Amino acid sequence: MGTIYAIANQKGGVGKTTTAVNLAACIAEAGYPTLLIDIDAQANATVALGADKNSEPSVYDVLRGDVRAADAIVPTQIDGLSLLPANPDLAAATVELARESSSDGRLRDALATVRDDYRYLILDCPPSLGPLTINALVAADRVIVPVQAEYFALEGLAGLLETLTLIQRRLNPQLAIAGMLLTMHDTRTRLSHDVENEVRQHFPELVFDTVIPRNVRISEAPSFGVPVIHHDPHSSGATAYFDLAKELVARG
Ligand code: ADP
Ligand code: MG
């Protein structure tokens, strides 16, 4: 049975999608069958893997129960990496899920039918703590929290941790924090180092050893519809996401 990771932070632009796509690609490249599930209506992860942003069927149809997960999953250009795509319809799911009672386990139940086909399942969450992110956290075994190495990085983390505690208590006692991941770290700036120190001091033992550098190759890759390990395998960004994959796999 595959391990499900949610990549979550209610802040936008902190590197959730970048991490979901590149981590999934590196784990798959290392030989582990992996499924990336895009649950953001912006469909950035879907596009970053070369699929259509108006993919049909999508995770929206799966959440509605109209299509089985297995029938919405598509292969990608990366060996061993499959994708359950999002499309803009997913915006409606936020409203629909909020209106229906006991809809928190919808994604968990849908993924249960395909979980045995993969070793890792990675969920790219939207930038909110709305019903889609709650569904992801109920489905997940572990959560990775990307933290941008910028001023205000810690802002919002307390709220996120409170939400995680609440979900652990009420909906998913299994859920564990895999770690916080420092992203867009600029080794040349004092600020990046200060933020890293602060996050490590605040959350000892909860921060991944691997730090993702700010690297232009990482930001270019989505426009080619490939992860950075295919766009430029020798870039600092590709190396860092490989290191993160190793760190994760080593932990089991
Ligand atoms: P989120 O999913 O949290 O909103 P994204 O992964 O989409 O964040 O990242 C936001 C922007 O920052 C994107 O344009 C992305 O290409 C860029 N970006 C993310 N990580 C890096 C990095 N390590 N180096 C350079 N640019 C990055
Ligand atoms: Mg995103």
Short mmCIF file of all heavy atoms in Angstrom, two decimals, residues 17 40 44 124, ligand 2:
data_model
loop_
_atom_site.label_atom_id
_atom_site.label_comp_id
_atom_site.label_asym_id
_atom_site.label_seq_id
_atom_site.Cartn_x
_atom_site.Cartn_y
_atom_site.Cartn_z
N THR A 17 3.56 23.41 -5.50
CA THR A 17 3.44 22.71 -6.77
C THR A 17 4.82 22.28 -7.29
O THR A 17 5.00 21.15 -7.74
CB THR A 17 2.74 23.62 -7.80
OG1 THR A 17 1.44 23.93 -7.30
CG2 THR A 17 2.62 22.96 -9.15
N ASP A 40 -5.54 21.30 -7.12
CA ASP A 40 -5.67 22.76 -7.19
C ASP A 40 -6.33 23.11 -8.53
O ASP A 40 -5.87 22.66 -9.58
CB ASP A 40 -4.28 23.40 -7.09
CG ASP A 40 -4.35 24.91 -7.01
OD1 ASP A 40 -5.46 25.48 -7.15
OD2 ASP A 40 -3.30 25.54 -6.82
N ASN A 44 -1.76 23.81 -12.00
CA ASN A 44 -0.35 24.08 -12.32
C ASN A 44 0.48 22.81 -12.38
O ASN A 44 1.36 22.67 -13.23
CB ASN A 44 0.26 25.02 -11.27
CG ASN A 44 -0.28 26.42 -11.37
OD1 ASN A 44 -0.86 26.81 -12.38
ND2 ASN A 44 -0.12 27.21 -10.32
N ASP A 124 -0.82 17.63 -4.47
CA ASP A 124 -0.51 19.06 -4.56
C ASP A 124 -1.75 19.86 -4.16
O ASP A 124 -2.73 19.90 -4.89
CB ASP A 124 -0.07 19.42 -5.99
CG ASP A 124 0.32 20.89 -6.10
OD1 ASP A 124 0.76 21.46 -5.09
OD2 ASP A 124 0.18 21.47 -7.21
MG MG B 2 0.47 25.52 -6.46
#
